[in-house]
Amino acid sequence: MEDLIEGLLVGKVRPLAKAITVVENDQPGKRELLKRIYPKTGNAYLLGITGPPGAGKSTLTDKIIANLRKQGKTVGVIAVDPSSPFSGGAILGDRIRMQQHALDEGVFIRSMATRSNLGGLAKNTVDVIHLLDASGKDVIIVETVGVGQDEVDIVRIAQTTVVVMVPGLGDSVQIAKAGVMEIADVFAVNKADREGADKLFSEIRAMLDMVKGDIKPAIFRTVAVDDVGIEELVQGIFAHGERVASSGLTGKKLVEKAKRELHAYLVDNIMARSTGLTLYDDVVKRIAAKEITPMDGVEKIFAGLEMKKGEN
Amino acid sequence: MSCTDKKARLAERQGQWQGMVDKALSRFPERKEDFSTTSGIEMKRLFTPADVDAVDYNEDVGFPGEFPFTRGVQPTMYRARFWTMRQYAGFGSAKQTNERYRYLLEQGQTGLSVAFDLPTQIGYDSDMELADGEVGKVGVAIDSLADMEILFDQIALDKVSTSMTINAPAAVLLAMYIAVAEKQGVSSDKLRGTIQNDVLKEYFARGTYIFPPQPSMKIITDIFSYCKDNLPNWNTISISGYHIREAGSSAVQEVAFTLADGLAYVDAAIKTGLDVDVFAKRLSFFFNVHNNFLEEVAKFRAARRLWARLMKERFGAKKASSMMMRFHTQTAGCSLTAQQPDNNVVRVTMQALAAVLGGTNSLHTNSRDEALCLPTEASVQIALRTQQIIAHESGVADTIDPLAGSYLVESMTSEIEAKALEYINKIDDLGGVVKAIEAGFMQQEIGDSAYAYQKSIETADQVIVGVNKFTIEEAPPENLLRIKQEMEIEQRKSLAAVKAGRDAAAVENSLKALKQVAESGDNLLPSIVTAVKTYATLGEVCGVLREVFGEYVEG
Amino acid sequence: MDKKIKVLIAKPGLDGHDRGAKVVSRALRDAGMEVIYTGIRQTPEQIVATAVQEDVDSIGLSCLSGAHNKLFPKVVNLLQEKGAGDVLVFGGGIIPDEDIPGLKDAGVSEIFLPGTSTEDTIEFIKNNVK
């Protein structure tokens, strides 16, 4: 463990990779590991990239990485793909589009499956972000699938969230989809050389006009495969970050972030402890048989946890 | 009895027969619940006239050599000339391959088919890093015109037709072929042959792409245009379904995706101002022939008919030659087993017969050892003899489209045509083939089919003789063809010698000129021909194009 | 939580035939494993760098072009150089029987020939990952 911590703090690849495995899988030593590296976090710029499947997120991420590298920044990437609800396994293929960076020591890419842990994607992925942060990466990119509940959580802790959209995927529906307007700090209209790009651009603009607030998210046009619009997008991302910092919102965001992390851990922890109680199955049976209400069930569980504490 | 009366009588009798069937089933169930093909087409217990009720002989079946060409593209077919027996071959050095070609021609092969190694197919020279370990392995290594000259040594290019399986760098290899012919004193207009030149399928089924789709399409239309003026007897493209099938697609998907690619090429050519009735006759196709004998025969007929109709309806083609689908077929590599390899001779025979009954214009039969490595001379001889025995001893070539009129074959031909058209319309909805590739549509369909097939083998729902049934303990096979590792070293040496012996200034100038042309958008062929004549290498020429056009990244 | 087995499926060299690699990837996913698939045209260096970053338990190499004798051992050697010698390496594709002993000597744990059932591959991985 000591070797892992020392190694990752100086950015060595294998210790970092191994540490991520510990944290990703809740292996023994995780608590200690996080305790040691947590104070060293908070330096990296956290960027979230999300959007519907087919938007070209991975290709866009690949080009953003290239741009950041040209600026001399080191980059950590977490590419998230969904786990199969049937088998619990996953095929993690986002990397395919980023393999040009595989041999660049300044880039660390890790693929993660959403799994279906009770704490959800949020908890373990945030821990991995902390590790990448502590290892000295200047920018950490989290690329996630779709716009779903978990993804919204992840994205709320990022400094800047980019929502990638493409013409031709049922635009107004995409935009209206819950959460997109709230979470987007920057919009990227990718595959902007396609028919419908201008229309999509205008629709996003129109929707933004209806939202309150003076600071509106910027919209950029990109054609990721051709490396078009990337420079402007990256500048726009950092511009957003600066706006947030200079408006004094950073503190508020950090508190928000801390809350979310704490909540994710709380939920995970309570669920784990509750389902581990011997009386758990009994409570479930009684609720199913309509003998007690779920509300009463909760009381019984908490009582059981208290008792257990008393025993310890 | 009137027509309606006959139909009613048939239905009645079939109903009675069903009673007999039900009795038989109750005593002895059938081997499976579902006898469908991998395309989802039902292999009914019995096909009857009722199944071909909607088929009109004049409209749908017709006559060989006439629209819609269901029965074949020539009026006399194999009675005049057998299909071209064209065995794909190539390995190691140009010298080794040249020996194999002269052997095959002596043994009665009627056309040459060149297999290039992977570095050549991807525009790399034998001394480049990514070529390490790959030189000469899956085909012949061609680094420059010098290798091409050796490849065709003692082979008169005005006497043979040559098919070259080359896609992304097709323009360069064609230029080399033209240059070799010139040295032999053969003018371009006498050259007969084909270049595969089908880059679209590379993106979703074969993987030897270089440039992104748009510039690749540009190169292809440049080739169409150049050949129209300079090589009037050359087939400028072999729109391929073989690889799509090898990647795991069904027969219907093979037809659908191949024809969709074809439509994209025709569309691109027309957009550059070419007249469909001028270039379309030089388009050719390349299909797979797999194990399900009856479905495969129907497949070829459906493909011919569908293409003819599409060319007429979508592009207003007027000449028969523009609507006529000529194709080469190869027996399915993916059906060959490593276990009990001699069984493969039987598989290939059935497959070859299906292709012949399907009216193929040209045929390659695989060798029995190809699940293990490239074929030995002995194995390739059997493969060639298979074709010759079918041609001369089976009698099927003495008449045209003999299975026409079979209730099953006509019904299935129509069904495959209809299902393929559904897919083509779906691809249209996605915005065409290039957009469909970006959306991963074909890749997903093919991947799903491949996975389903694997599952069916693992549950033994699909029996593969020698693999999941009728297995034996086997000793490893002996005497396989091996490409010696030294070959790579030798090739690098000869490449170095070519580089040392050429006029460096001429090479540099030709590459500079090529770059300018590539940037300007003019036709690339003339400058490529000039460059290869200076002995600029394939890697150097492709390197210039890579600079200008970029490289495609999967995903 | 049982740690999921993480497998890297890679295609070294220039061979673009990915049907097998994709079928195996799906089968492993359906068996509950997490599969990183890198796509085609990977150098041994890229494969190893990926394996180390992803901290995989196993690597499956697919090659149908005959370049396996050069490329597979290279992957094994690079893994060892990077301190990841405990990663289980197996391979498949068009590989003559007579090459298998050499590949095994070079550190490839198993070679799966055409006709292998995905079940066997899954069992092998489960029984042999460290």
Side-chain angles (χ1 to χ4, degrees):
Chain A
M1 187 55 67
E2 207 44 56
D3 296 332
L4 286 193
I5 296 172
E6 267 180 47
L8 85 89
L9 288 176
V10 293
K12 284 215 185 116
V13 179
R14 192 151 168 77
L16 176 56
K18 288 258 170 229
I20 292 176
T21 303
V22 167
V23 141
E24 196 187 18
N25 294 292
D26 290 327
Q27 285 175 340
K30 175 173 175 173
R31 182 183 283 227
E32 178 63 28
L33 173 57
L34 286 178
K35 207 169 177 175
R36 295 279 299 278
I37 61 107
Y38 200 73
K40 310 243 190 242
T41 65
N43 304 306
Y45 193 103
L46 183 55
L47 175 62
I49 300 190
T50 187
K57 293 184 296 296
S58 301
T59 309
L60 191 61
T61 304
D62 173 61
K63 299 293 189 261
I64 292 174
I65 298 170
N67 184 288
L68 292 171
R69 289 300 290 141
K70 263 196 250 162
Q71 294 179 38
K73 298 198 196 306
T74 56
V75 186
V77 183
I78 302 176
V80 183
D81 265 322
S83 300
S84 159
F86 306 113
S87 69
I91 294 183
L92 308 172
D94 287 343
R95 270 199 96 105
I96 293 181
R97 298 166 195 75
M98 305 186 227
Q99 281 299 82
Q100 63 160 312
H101 303 289
L103 297 177
D104 183 347
E105 302 250 325
V107 180
F108 185 100
I109 301 172
R110 183 81 172 212
S111 311
M112 288 181 72
T114 52
R115 300 194 181 162
S116 50
N117 296 336
L118 288 155
L121 162 69
K123 177 175 77 63
N124 286 348
T125 309
V126 175
D127 294 334
V128 174
I129 292 172
H130 290 317
L131 288 177
L132 290 172
D133 194 344
S135 80
K137 298 292 175 285
D138 297 315
V139 180
I140 298 171
I141 303 176
V142 178
E143 190 219 314
T144 67
V145 164
V147 183
Q149 213 42 51
D150 287 342
E151 288 73 21
V152 173
D153 281 345
I154 263 299
V155 129
R156 284 219 148 112
I157 66 163
Q159 255 121 309
T160 304
T161 300
V162 179
V163 173
V164 186
M165 307 191 106
V166 265
L169 287 187
D171 306 334
S172 355
V173 175
Q174 277 182 79
I175 303 173
K177 217 164 164 196
V180 174
M181 297 311 287
E182 296 160 24
I183 66 171
D185 296 312
V186 171
F187 281 95
V189 173
N190 194 27
K191 306 193 191 181
D193 53 345
R194 289 234 190 131
E195 219 183 285
D198 288 332
K199 182 161 169 281
L200 178 57
F201 191 96
S202 319
E203 285 190 27
I204 298 173
R205 173 120 294 149
M207 292 247 179
L208 287 176
D209 284 340
M210 295 196 291
V211 170
K212 284 185 287 159
D214 298 314
I215 303 176
K216 298 281 168 62
I219 315 173
F220 294 96
R221 282 177 232 256
T222 56
V223 184
V225 283
D226 294 332
D227 218 1
V228 168
I230 307 300
E231 180 64 42
E232 293 78 2
L233 173 63
V234 172
Q235 280 176 17
I237 289 167
F238 287 126
H240 169 262
E242 272 170 50
R243 269 206 307 278
V244 169
S246 61
S247 66
L249 284 172
T250 315
K252 193 164 165 224
K253 265 208 151 181
L254 281 174
V255 166
E256 174 81 20
K257 201 165 154 175
K259 251 194 218 170
R260 293 192 175 279
E261 285 194 53
L262 179 62
H263 290 176
Y265 266 98
L266 271 174
V267 168
D268 186 61
N269 196 289
I270 293 173
M271 284 304 293
R273 285 203 247 173
S274 305
T275 53
L277 289 176
T278 26
L279 60 81
Y280 176 79
D281 284 327
D282 187 57
V283 169
V284 171
K285 274 204 196 94
R286 293 181 72 186
I287 296 171
K290 309 245 187 253
E291 286 170 23
I292 57 171
T293 66
M295 262 181 94
D296 290 338
V298 170
E299 293 307 314
K300 291 202 181 300
I301 300 267
F302 278 176
L305 287 173
E306 275 299 311
M307 272 204 337
K308 196 140 192 250
K309 222 177 31 160
E311 282 163 24
N312 296 349
Chain B
M1 216 187 247
S2 76
C3 216
T4 347
D5 286 339
K6 277 192 182 161
K7 276 194 208 167
R9 181 76 184 117
L10 173 61
E12 194 193 325
R13 290 206 49 199
Q14 187 149 5
Q16 288 165 354
W17 177 70
Q18 189 59 41
M20 196 192 277
V21 168
D22 292 335
K23 254 202 213 134
L25 287 177
S26 63
R27 263 182 285 117
F28 216 54
E30 285 177 331
R31 289 180 284 113
K32 293 190 219 184
E33 287 282 325
D34 177 15
F35 285 89
S36 298
T37 70
T38 55
S39 306
I41 292 177
E42 195 196 343
M43 196 60 108
K44 289 188 194 177
R45 185 175 297 117
L46 194 71
F47 284 80
T48 70
D51 291 301
V52 295
D53 206 40
V55 177
D56 179 306
Y57 185 84
N58 288 317
E59 286 296 310
D60 303 320
V61 184
F63 292 85
E66 280 182 15
F67 183 90
F69 306 103
T70 315
R71 304 199 71 173
V73 294
Q74 290 120 3
T76 52
M77 287 298 290
Y78 307 138
R79 285 166 64 109
R81 259 191 339 182
F82 291 121
W83 59 92
T84 307
M85 299 184 192
R86 192 189 294 277
Q87 297 294 86
Y88 187 53
F91 52 89
S93 66
K95 183 152 182 292
Q96 281 174 281
T97 304
N98 173 263
E99 278 163 20
R100 177 60 69 89
Y101 286 168
R102 287 187 286 117
Y103 171 76
L104 288 168
L105 290 169
E106 274 162 37
Q107 291 305 309
Q109 176 166 306
T110 42
L112 289 177
S113 175
V114 185
F116 297 98
D117 70 1
L118 281 174
T120 304
Q121 292 190 50
I122 300 180
Y124 291 130
D125 290 335
S126 303
D127 58 2
M128 291 179 168
E129 200 201 326
L130 276 161
D132 200 25
E134 309 265 12
V135 177
K137 291 273 163 57
V138 306
V140 65
I142 300 288
D143 290 322
S144 74
L145 179 58
D147 289 317
M148 206 68 168
E149 285 161 357
I150 297 170
L151 187 64
F152 292 104
D153 179 41
Q154 297 172 61
I155 296 173
L157 295 188
D158 54 348
K159 300 269 185 329
V160 285
S161 77
T162 304
S163 171
M164 295 194 274
T165 298
I166 192 81
N167 294 279
V172 187
L173 276 304
L174 179 60
M176 288 186 188
Y177 192 82
I178 291 169
V180 172
E182 230 179 80
K183 284 204 175 174
Q184 286 184 3
V186 178
S187 57
S188 301
D189 58 325
K190 297 226 171 48
L191 297 177
R192 286 176 303 118
T194 309
I195 34 172
Q196 196 167 86
N197 195 26
D198 169 11
V199 86
L200 289 175
K201 59 98 169 58
E202 297 296 328
Y203 299 116
F204 65 88
R206 191 167 183 270
T208 64
Y209 44 75
I210 305 179
F211 322 105
Q214 252 173 333
S216 301
M217 292 296 272
K218 198 262 172 193
I219 297 174
I220 290 171
T221 52
D222 275 2
I223 294 174
F224 287 176
S225 182
Y226 184 82
C227 289
K228 167 177 75 76
D229 296 328
N230 299 289
L231 282 86
N233 295 305
W234 191 266
N235 296 317
T236 49
I237 191 168
S238 181
I239 304 162
S240 305
Y242 176 79
H243 320 88
I244 296 171
R245 194 66 183 273
E246 289 293 294
S249 85
S250 67
V252 163
Q253 289 165 342
E254 181 190 341
V255 174
F257 299 162
T258 308
L259 269 58
D261 285 347
L263 295 173
Y265 292 125
V266 172
D267 201 42
I270 289 176
K271 289 207 166 89
T272 65
L274 294 169
D275 179 352
V276 69
D277 281 315
V278 171
F279 74 83
K281 64 174 179 280
R282 283 287 142 230
L283 304 175
S284 64
F285 289 78
F286 173 29
F287 289 111
N288 195 307
V289 63
H290 211 284
N291 281 332
N292 193 314
F293 189 86
L294 300 165
E295 185 183 45
E296 292 297 298
V297 174
K299 178 189 87 181
F300 295 118
R301 303 168 89 251
R304 269 197 300 270
R305 183 159 84 206
L306 183 55
W307 180 250
R309 287 177 169 166
L310 288 168
M311 285 303 279
K312 193 176 198 190
E313 286 156 29
R314 289 196 182 202
F315 299 110
K318 305 229 167 31
K319 292 204 181 138
S321 57
S322 309
M323 299 182 266
M324 189 183 282
M325 173 191 262
R326 293 166 304 117
F327 62 89
H328 171 75
T329 306
Q330 177 167 340
T331 60
C334 60
S335 70
L336 300 175
T337 62
Q339 296 76 5
Q340 300 174 43
D342 283 345
N343 291 342
N344 292 323
V345 176
V346 181
R347 293 187 175 100
V348 169
T349 307
M350 283 188 334
Q351 292 161 358
L353 184 59
V356 167
L357 290 170
T360 190
N361 305 103
S362 167
L363 180 62
H364 163 105
T365 33
N366 287 333
S367 300
R368 62 188 163 175
D369 42 7
E370 292 198 69
L372 302 165
C373 54
L374 296 182
T376 58
E377 218 170 66
S379 297
V380 94
Q381 187 182 78
I382 296 176
L384 184 56
R385 295 287 178 257
T386 304
Q387 294 196 45
Q388 291 161 338
I389 292 170
I390 291 174
H392 295 278
E393 299 184 26
S394 75
V396 305
D398 295 349
T399 180
I400 302 175
D401 190 29
L403 298 191
S406 147
Y407 307 124
L408 179 152
V409 168
E410 293 302 350
S411 166
M412 239 186 231
T413 302
S414 298
E415 198 174 345
I416 292 175
E417 183 189 4
K419 286 186 145 76
L421 187 56
E422 262 175 48
Y423 264 116
I424 289 174
N425 289 333
K426 179 81 196 279
I427 292 172
D428 279 343
D429 288 341
L430 287 170
V433 170
V434 175
K435 297 246 167 72
I437 292 172
E438 279 178 38
F441 175 67
M442 280 81 89
Q443 298 89 319
Q444 184 70 36
E445 292 288 317
I446 293 169
D448 289 347
S449 281
Y451 196 60
Y453 188 67
Q454 182 65 24
K455 287 284 147 217
S456 73
I457 293 174
E458 293 185 6
T459 56
D461 188 54
Q462 171 66 58
V463 171
I464 308 282
V465 173
V467 174
N468 61 7
K469 208 168 181 186
F470 311 115
T471 55
I472 58 171
E473 281 296 315
E474 292 178 81
E478 288 169 8
N479 301 322
L480 300 172
L481 184 77
R482 304 307 310 261
I483 308 296
K484 295 200 178 54
Q485 207 50 44
E486 293 81 60
M487 183 261 144
E488 190 166 313
I489 302 172
E490 284 305 311
Q491 183 67 19
R492 291 208 188 104
K493 276 199 204 140
S494 20
L495 174 56
V498 169
K499 280 185 173 171
R502 61 189 187 174
D503 178 352
V507 172
E508 213 190 303
N509 289 334
S510 71
L511 292 175
K512 265 204 203 109
L514 175 61
K515 187 160 189 215
Q516 279 176 337
V517 171
E519 283 163 347
S520 76
D522 288 338
N523 194 308
L524 289 160
L525 270 297
S527 351
I528 295 178
V529 172
T530 306
V532 306
K533 283 182 179 171
T534 68
Y535 293 92
T537 67
L538 174 69
E540 285 165 343
V541 173
C542 289
V544 168
L545 298 176
R546 281 179 145 103
E547 258 181 67
V548 177
F549 299 133
E551 286 192 44
Y552 179 77
V553 173
E554 186 186 355
Chain C
M1 181 200 326
D2 277 326
K3 182 181 170 304
K4 298 209 189 288
I5 298 176
K6 230 172 162 191
V7 184
L8 175 62
I9 297 293
K11 289 199 63 67
L14 300 178
D15 168 36
H17 297 94
D18 55 6
R19 174 179 182 172
K22 286 181 168 169
V23 165
V24 169
S25 296
R26 279 207 205 193
L28 297 184
R29 176 203 63 193
D30 287 350
M33 302 186 194
E34 289 180 347
V35 181
I36 316 271
Y37 176 56
T38 60
I40 64 174
R41 267 190 236 180
Q42 301 294 296
T43 62
E45 289 79 6
Q46 281 174 306
I47 292 170
V48 171
T50 303
V52 170
Q53 286 179 25
E54 301 284 357
D55 195 21
V56 301
D57 301 301
S58 177
I59 301 178
L61 300 170
S62 156
C63 184
L64 284 78
S65 67
H68 51 273
N69 284 329
K70 198 136 207 204
L71 299 175
F72 289 11
K74 198 148 183 217
V75 170
V76 175
N77 292 338
L78 282 171
L79 279 171
Q80 269 153 9
E81 260 177 54
K82 300 280 173 191
D86 57 344
V87 173
L88 178 72
V89 180
F90 63 94
I94 300 292
I95 297 169
D97 284 279
E98 63 195 37
D99 289 354
I100 296 178
L103 290 170
K104 285 189 168 172
D105 279 341
V108 181
S109 302
E110 191 58 88
I111 296 288
F112 296 106
L113 292 181
T116 305
S117 137
T118 53
E119 285 304 311
D120 290 342
T121 310
I122 291 166
E123 276 314 298
F124 173 80
I125 297 172
K126 284 189 176 160
N127 294 336
N128 289 284
V129 288
K130 296 198 178 60

